[in-house]
Amino acid sequence: MDKTVLIIDDDEDFVYLTRRHLQRLGGIGEVVHAIDGQAALDWFRECLADRPARRLPDLALVDINMPGMGGLEFLPRLAELFDGNGVVVPPPTFLMATSSDLPCDRAAAESSGLVTGYLTKPLDMAEVARVLAESKG
Amino acid sequence: MYAEAFECAPVALLLVRTGGVIEHANHEAERLFGYEPGTLDGRHVDLLVPARFRTQHGALMDAFHRHPETRTMGAGRELYGVRSDGRELRIEVGLTRLDRPEGGHLIMASVVDLSARLRDDERFRAAFEAAPNAMILVDAAGRIVLVNGQTEALFGYDRGELLGEPIELLVPQDMRARHPAFVKVYTAAPVPRPMGSGRDLHGQRKDGTLVPIEVGLRPLRGPDGDYVISSVVDISERVQARERLMQRNEELEQFAYRTSHDLRAPLVTMKGLAEFIGEDAARGANDEVVANAARVVHLADRMLHLVEGILALARSDYANEPAAEVDVGALVEAARENLGGALRAAGVSLVYVPAHRRPLLGQPTRVTQILENLISNGIKYADPAKAERHVVVRTFSGPHQFHLQVEDNGLGIPAERHGQVFAIFTRFHADRGPGSGLGLYLVRQHVLKLGGTIEFESSPAGTTFHVTVPFRLRTSPLPKAG
């Protein structure tokens, strides 16, 4: 089954580039874009409400520094949302995709318990492809 | 034969009668006191005593004749003789009574010239005193027996306070207990070597402060026992220079890492875009081609901006422009012109509120860079959520300093990042507009080179940078980087 990828990032250029790189990989159904953490939370809430008609994404790329809700604030809120909705289906694979390589950001991302990898921009698309292939599908 | 031995003895010998007349002087005595052969015989011995001692000498001589026993003359006192040319000699005199077979007695005086030995001792002391380092002579018991002026200067003691004291007086408090053991180890195998190689050594001054030192040790065997000469060098400057260098090195490493990362990132993206342009052109998707070409241009601009920042940084280290009065108002107007596009795009108004009475004195290029960077930061991090957006430049003059304040009502710097504001390559809203992460680092370097200070206050209501520059420009040495 084709996979769905969510990109949470305010940088339109980054979203455009990543979308095209993903499409080149093949096997991608839908690439969804959320402009910040809040937009992503809203989107997840809709998905959870409309289950099973709507699927959770297979992979989410999460930026850290965004003008609205940043990635580090978004992750724990999403964890709460999952808990509150008793999400037991395999959750999506979360990859941080950020230009920050500060150790404190890295540590904060890992402490959320949701994140499987931390990539810095520009993304290593081979790594993204590898993680995507291992995602729930 | 005995007479011949007397004549040729390598020691000056005088035979003196009761009453002080010289019966006979040998060759060495004549040579030592500078008389022709035979000319001392029959003269009074006072001839060889400096005039100021003669009265005293007469009395002492009488006393010896009454109680003659072999002994050293004038034990405990410094003895002097006088030559025929008037030059005085430091001497040591041994006295022996010789009984005459015909009755009565003679005194044999053996005279040793100490001048040569004393000259060596004086030379040693003079060299010790003139040494470029602090020199400390310590005896086998670990007590200070000699120090030079450099030692007084380095440790802040007068030599009177040091002589006779244990060397531990100059050892840091926490090392004092262990130090005598080190001394013992050294005196057991005394070879010239540096002290405590591989460890950082400190000396403790009279005021309790510690000074980093380097110590060389050398054993000295004296006629009266073993000594250790320590030569102590104050290495504060070397230690500071090393720390500065290490800090600069770390910065440089970070700089190389970040520069290559920040230059690589847009290049990777540009390569991707160029590939898309090729694909899109082949399938005739002209709109995509045009959009991606624009993205390439945008990224190239960003790289250019970064490279210019790096160049500015390189120049900031070498700029040697003379200081001059700087017209801050004119600089604000220049910034308004240069940053006009950005001001309009962000909807930010730039306001100048001068209140200074004395003009700012500084290197104009540095002040320009400071001001432009702070203003452009204010524009870059304007808060789109606020209806009115501004950057205000204020000036005022204190008694000793010019104050320059750049205030905005932008996004503010996240509180947890306040410690990194002036670090190289720090960006707080990384995805907002072009930025090299060099701006505030550069600003701080310029401020430091003007001998000034820079501080800031920031909250989500906005950020204010406060720069002071002294009116009297110091040509300060290289500021501490960082």
Side-chain angles (χ1 to χ4, degrees):
Chain A
M1 194 199 288
D2 281 352
K3 296 190 174 184
T4 303
V5 177
L6 169 66
I7 304 175
I8 311 171
D9 204 304
D10 60 315
D11 181 348
E12 302 280 352
D13 284 350
F14 173 78
V15 176
Y16 170 83
L17 276 165
T18 311
R19 188 195 296 269
R20 286 205 60 162
H21 277 302
L22 286 169
Q23 282 161 353
R24 271 180 166 185
L25 293 175
I28 302 293
E30 196 186 357
V31 177
V32 184
H33 173 216
I35 190 101
D36 66 1
Q38 188 57 54
L41 272 182
D42 294 345
W43 186 82
F44 270 104
R45 204 169 278 124
E46 283 169 27
C47 280
L48 290 169
D50 289 353
R51 271 186 309 170
R54 287 180 59 183
R55 297 173 49 210
L56 292 177
D58 301 282
L59 172 69
L61 298 172
V62 187
D63 189 19
I64 288 183
N65 295 306
M66 290 178 277
M69 185 191 292
L72 295 178
E73 192 183 344
F74 158 75
L75 287 169
R77 299 245 190 139
L78 183 69
E80 277 171 33
L81 185 66
F82 279 176
D83 282 350
N85 284 272
V87 172
V88 285
V89 292
T93 302
F94 285 88
L95 274 183
M96 301 311 287
T98 171
S99 44
S100 161
D101 60 357
L102 294 173
C104 59
D105 283 349
R106 206 175 271 268
E110 274 160 18
S111 73
S112 74
L114 283 173
V115 172
T116 54
Y118 192 103
L119 300 181
T120 51
K121 295 175 182 175
L123 295 191
D124 176 354
M125 288 310 292
E127 177 66 10
V128 175
R130 195 187 61 72
V131 173
L132 190 59
E134 287 174 6
S135 65
K136 69 184 166 88
Chain B
M1 192 190 115
Y2 289 126
E4 200 176 319
F6 180 87
E7 279 313 323
C8 301
V11 182
L13 297 170
L14 298 161
L15 292 172
V16 183
R17 293 179 205 142
T18 319
V21 173
I22 297 169
E23 169 104 359
H24 186 57
N26 74 352
H27 290 320
E28 182 57 21
E30 289 161 347
R31 192 199 61 76
L32 180 62
F33 288 98
Y35 288 89
E36 292 297 318
T39 55
L40 272 176
D41 298 357
R43 307 290 300 271
H44 196 278
V45 75
D46 275 355
L47 184 66
L48 308 179
V49 178
R52 63 183 187 282
F53 297 120
R54 279 179 194 154
T55 322
Q56 205 184 352
H57 185 249
L60 289 166
M61 198 164 51
D62 289 346
F64 185 76
H65 278 291
R66 282 196 295 279
H67 305 286
E69 53 192 50
T70 302
R71 64 167 173 87
T72 307
M73 188 197 280
R77 280 180 294 122
E78 290 184 352
L79 299 183
Y80 293 85
V82 64
R83 285 169 49 89
S84 62
D85 59 11
R87 194 155 61 80
E88 291 195 1
L89 302 170
R90 268 292 300 279
I91 52 174
E92 201 171 76
V93 184
L95 300 174
T96 312
R97 174 187 154 132
L98 300 175
D99 288 319
R100 290 177 180 247
E102 64 271 29
H105 64 263
L106 289 171
I107 303 296
M108 183 171 78
S110 60
V111 183
V112 178
D113 179 14
L114 294 180
S115 306
R117 204 196 299 163
L118 287 170
R119 265 200 304 279
D120 285 349
D121 195 47
E122 271 162 26
R123 273 199 205 111
F124 172 78
R125 279 170 190 272
F128 200 82
E129 190 59 48
N133 306 332
M135 304 288 288
I136 304 171
L137 187 64
V138 175
D139 68 14
R143 293 194 177 272
I144 300 170
V145 292
L146 191 63
V147 297
N148 65 353
Q150 297 278 13
T151 307
E152 296 176 296
L154 176 55
F155 289 96
Y157 286 100
D158 289 334
R159 63 186 71 198
E161 298 172 287
L162 291 174
L163 297 180
E165 293 299 323
I167 186 65
E168 280 73 30
L169 184 63
L170 305 179
V171 173
Q173 202 76 44
D174 60 340
M175 284 294 296
R176 279 184 190 176
R178 276 184 286 164
H179 192 259
F182 291 134
V183 176
K184 208 168 267 176
V185 168
Y186 184 78
T187 44
V191 286
R193 65 165 171 87
M195 190 203 274
S197 44
R199 280 181 296 127
D200 287 333
L201 296 182
H202 290 88
Q204 183 167 323
R205 295 199 182 94
K206 189 180 179 181
D207 64 10
T209 56
L210 298 184
V211 53
I213 53 173
E214 207 168 72
V215 184
L217 299 174
R218 186 166 274 273
L220 179 74
R221 174 144 293 175
D224 51 349
D226 289 340
Y227 295 90
V228 178
I229 298 185
S230 321
S231 133
V232 184
V233 185
D234 176 355
I235 55 167
S236 310
E237 269 177 40
R238 205 193 304 167
V239 168
Q240 276 164 16
R242 189 178 60 194
E243 276 166 11
R244 266 204 303 273
L245 205 62
M246 276 163 65
Q247 202 177 7
R248 295 290 276 199
N249 240 354
E250 205 172 290
E251 262 178 35
L252 204 65
E253 241 167 60
Q254 211 191 358
F255 181 81
Y257 169 74
R258 293 304 305 253
T259 310
S260 51
H261 176 269
D262 284 14
L263 287 174
R264 186 176 158 269
L267 272 178
V268 170
T269 308
M270 283 159 82
K271 178 170 170 272
L273 286 170
E275 285 168 13
F276 296 156
I277 288 171
E279 289 168 14
D280 294 342
R283 64 181 172 92
N286 271 341
D287 290 353
E288 293 274 296
V289 170
V290 170
N292 284 336
R295 288 188 173 107
V296 170
V297 170
H298 173 72
L299 286 166
D301 276 342
R302 222 155 112 169
M303 283 182 75
L304 206 57
H305 188 80
L306 173 62
V307 171
E308 275 162 5
I310 294 168
L311 284 175
L313 186 64
R315 277 197 301 270
S316 87
D317 269 352
Y318 303 110
N320 241 340
E321 195 186 9
E325 279 188 20
V326 180
D327 182 350
V328 177
L331 292 185
V332 173
E333 286 321 302
R336 192 192 302 284
E337 203 156 293
N338 293 342
L339 302 168
L343 281 167
R344 277 189 297 281
V348 172
S349 55
L350 176 60
V351 186
Y352 177 48
V353 187
H356 60 274
R357 289 202 205 93
R358 292 174 70 179
L360 168 60
L361 192 65
Q363 290 159 298
T365 308
R366 293 197 193 284
V367 181
T368 308
Q369 290 253 355
I370 293 168
L371 206 56
E372 282 217 1
N373 268 297
L374 291 179
I375 293 172
S376 104
N377 258 356
I379 300 168
K380 208 180 295 168
Y381 299 116
D383 186 351
K386 286 167 188 149
E388 187 272 335
R389 297 177 282 278
H390 60 247
V391 173
V392 183
V393 178
R394 296 176 202 279
T395 64
F396 43 100
S397 40
H400 306 296
Q401 290 150 332
F402 189 95
H403 295 255
L404 178 68
Q405 214 169 283
V406 180
E407 172 196 317
D408 66 54
N409 64 341
L411 294 164
I413 300 162
E416 69 273 16
R417 303 277 175 86
H418 280 191
Q420 307 155 4
V421 165
F422 297 112
I424 196 165
F425 289 123
T426 305
R427 298 192 63 205
F428 296 113
H429 305 279
D431 304 321
R432 287 183 65 85
S436 57
L438 289 170
L440 286 176
Y441 175 81
L442 203 58
V443 166
R444 182 166 180 273
Q445 295 299 314
H446 284 307
V447 171
L448 290 179
K449 295 219 167 122
L450 290 174
T453 61
I454 180 162
E455 286 165 5
F456 70 95
E457 277 170 55
S458 189
S459 74
T463 304
T464 302
F465 281 91
H466 190 122
V467 175
T468 68
V469 177
F471 287 123
R472 187 194 298 253
L473 267 190
R474 285 183 295 268
T475 45
S476 57
L478 191 70
K480 256 198 153 165

